[in-house]
Amino acid sequence: MQQINLADGLVWFDNTLLSEADIGSVFEPEYWSKLNKVIGSAKGRGTTWFVQGEQVPMALRHYRRGGLFGKLVKDQYLFIGWERTRCYEEFMLLKHLRQCGVNVPRPLGAKANKVGTLFYRADILIELVSGARDLVALLKNSKVEHNVWYAIGEEIAKMHRAGVCHTDLNAHNILLDGDNQVWLIDFDKCEKREGKNWQQGNLDRLLRSFQKEKNKAGITFNEESHWRWLTEGYSTIQLTQ
Ligand SMILES: Nc1ncnc2c1ncn2[C@@H]1O[C@H](COP(=O)(O)OP(=O)(O)O)[C@@H](O)[C@H]1O
Ligand SMILES: [Mg+2]
């Protein structure tokens, strides 16, 4: 990982995968649209832009607040040190997860920009999982087989074995690629934790998300089969090594 100082901020990046000379600009969607290299987008809290980098396709996300406070201060966070910025923490967490063998996309770059002395804004570039769809989109139109539900459970257990708590584990943050490989995404605000009393909370939240999307998006989801398969997969992985 390489680090570069900008006039008002810092960039951390993987120079084997992110080789653009103008490293300060690659976190701006306009840079990519001028080059005609925006290849897609997805709506979550804000827009995640899919762009074609020199080496790999990437997902570009600007950090935004949710909730009521977010309407007032859309994208600024209190600065308490470069290594405590949201983008740096997510970048390092993704690195850790990959080292532990969890299927998460590779982090490519993170940028934090000071706004005055108290606040900062942040962006992140992550490898794009090509051809991936999230579970909500998939379960609306097609069937997910037993072995895939099982694999989703296994991947969540691997994340827990790596000691990582996903504070927003929901059906939109689990992707399947064209080969039905499972990918976990969206690790903003997630963190490493000790002990045994938070893992079940992640699973409970995911179950609630599936139940919610049954009404909201009309997905096919059955607790007696689908969820049971997922938890079977989960329990095959030893959480402590
Ligand atoms: N690395 C990625 N590869 C493919 N699609 C992605 C990737 N990252 C995000 N997406 C898509 O963009 C959506 C929003 O991104 P996400 O990281 O979940 O941010 P948020 O939910 O905070 O807006 C995801 O649900 C997914 O559809
Ligand atoms: Mg998300």
Side-chain angles (χ1 to χ4, degrees):
M1 183 178 66
Q2 207 168 318
Q3 183 178 317
I4 283 188
N5 292 296
L6 303 175
D8 53 356
L10 267 188
V11 174
W12 301 268
F13 66 108
D14 178 336
N15 62 339
T16 63
L17 294 168
L18 196 60
S19 51
E20 275 75 2
D22 199 359
I23 195 74
S25 304
V26 298
F27 297 90
E28 293 160 16
E30 300 75 39
Y31 169 83
W32 298 101
S33 66
K34 272 188 200 140
L35 290 175
N36 240 333
K37 287 187 174 169
V38 175
I39 53 178
S41 65
K43 277 257 176 227
R45 187 166 291 173
T47 304
T48 298
W49 298 99
F50 303 158
V51 301
Q52 183 57 55
E54 276 169 19
Q55 316 264 350
V56 286
M58 312 186 277
L60 171 60
R61 190 176 79 231
H62 186 62
Y63 287 79
R64 280 171 216 286
R65 291 177 179 282
L68 195 58
F69 191 58
K71 291 205 179 8
L72 303 169
V73 192
K74 286 192 167 53
D75 65 347
Q76 293 180 31
Y77 302 90
L78 193 63
F79 182 83
I80 44 173
W82 293 110
E83 302 202 342
R84 299 286 300 279
T85 53
R86 305 279 279 253
C87 56
Y88 180 81
E89 292 195 320
E90 186 169 355
F91 190 100
M92 296 311 280
L93 204 56
L94 286 170
K95 259 167 80 97
H96 166 72
L97 284 160
R98 289 192 60 93
Q99 275 160 7
C100 293
V102 187
N103 214 26
V104 300
R106 288 182 288 194
L108 305 174
K111 176 176 163 218
N113 257 73
K114 288 290 280 290
V115 182
T117 49
L118 280 181
F119 299 98
Y120 71 94
R121 292 197 177 99
D123 304 273
I124 192 163
L125 274 166
I126 297 173
E127 173 186 25
L128 184 71
V129 181
S130 291
R133 320 234 354 238
D134 76 49
L135 274 184
V136 177
L138 276 165
L139 292 170
K140 265 203 277 199
N141 309 308
S142 50
K143 218 172 122 197
V144 171
E145 298 294 337
H146 164 266
N147 63 316
V148 179
W149 283 105
Y150 197 89
I152 295 167
E154 284 182 320
E155 216 53 48
I156 296 167
K158 284 193 231 161
M159 173 182 82
H160 285 167
R161 186 176 62 189
V164 173
C165 173
H166 198 309
T167 46
D168 193 19
L169 191 62
N170 63 49
H172 283 290
N173 289 333
I174 300 175
L175 310 180
L176 295 185
D177 65 20
D179 300 325
N180 274 342
Q181 284 279 348
V182 179
W183 298 80
L184 303 179
I185 61 161
D186 203 359
F187 286 87
D188 180 24
K189 280 192 301 195
C190 301
E191 60 183 12
K192 278 202 242 175
R193 288 198 193 165
E194 311 241 311
K196 292 199 173 76
N197 63 357
W198 48 268
Q199 292 84 346
Q200 188 58 41
N202 283 185
L203 293 171
D204 293 346
R205 186 187 180 89
L206 180 59
L207 176 57
R208 283 200 300 277
S209 155
F210 283 124
Q211 286 162 341
K212 179 179 128 190
E213 296 297 347
K214 257 174 106 160
N215 300 320
K216 197 175 161 202
I219 65 167
T220 305
F221 176 72
N222 184 325
E223 216 174 313
E224 279 76 51
S225 53
H226 304 143
W227 186 254
R228 186 167 53 79
W229 297 336
L230 186 154
T231 52
E232 275 170 17
Y234 183 89
S235 54
T236 57
I237 307 275
Q238 286 288 332
L239 294 191
T240 46
Q241 282 170 315

